[in-house]
Amino acid sequence: MLLHGYIDESVDKKQNIFTLSCLMSKPSQWLWLERRWKTYLNGVNKTLKKQGRQQISRYHASYCRNCQGEFKGWTRDEQIALTKGLLAIMKRTPLNRFYLGLK
């Protein structure tokens, strides 16, 4: 069986926490997830364009959370809605999830 995975790390220097996560699945499932993900972001960008705001090229969690880069000027409600929408797509995709957190 061939699996494809993505690994990412996160560091919270204030709380001295390091997190490493990995998502693995069959390549066909990644294609499905990517298609749904891009479709969702395209919908978000249509709304942003209508509002005369900067569109986003991708979801970057730390930028979204901190209203940096393409997420400058976003409200907390907008951040939560975007993240929940993308997580819903991930929940509908068969993925193997691995996490490691160190403090």
Side-chain angles (χ1 to χ4, degrees):
M1 171 187 279
L2 176 67
L3 294 175
H4 191 93
Y6 289 93
I7 299 173
D8 193 21
E9 87 288 341
S10 179
V11 177
D12 184 331
K13 293 180 182 178
K14 291 180 183 176
Q15 296 184 26
N16 197 30
I17 297 173
F18 172 81
T19 306
L20 181 70
S21 63
C22 177
L23 300 173
M24 297 181 71
S25 192
K26 295 179 183 178
S28 60
Q29 294 300 327
W30 283 116
L31 293 173
W32 183 91
L33 183 138
E34 183 178 4
R35 181 176 176 208
R36 295 284 180 151
W37 189 279
K38 286 181 177 181
T39 299
Y40 187 84
L41 290 182
N42 286 339
V44 169
N45 279 330
K46 284 182 184 179
T47 300
L48 292 170
K49 186 175 182 178
K50 285 180 185 178
Q51 296 171 349
R53 297 169 59 196
Q54 181 177 356
Q55 298 177 47
I56 57 173
S57 60
R58 67 186 185 108
Y59 177 75
H60 193 288
S62 64
Y63 287 0
C64 180
R65 184 185 70 221
N66 295 303
C67 295
Q68 296 175 338
E70 297 173 333
F71 297 93
K72 187 174 182 176
W74 280 50
T75 67
R76 180 154 171 74
D77 288 342
E78 289 173 321
Q79 296 166 324
I80 291 170
L82 174 64
T83 303
K84 282 184 175 182
L86 294 173
L87 284 174
I89 292 168
M90 292 179 72
K91 286 179 183 177
R92 293 192 312 258
T93 306
L95 298 169
N96 295 300
R97 298 162 178 90
F98 305 94
Y99 306 94
L100 170 67
L102 301 172
K103 184 168 181 157

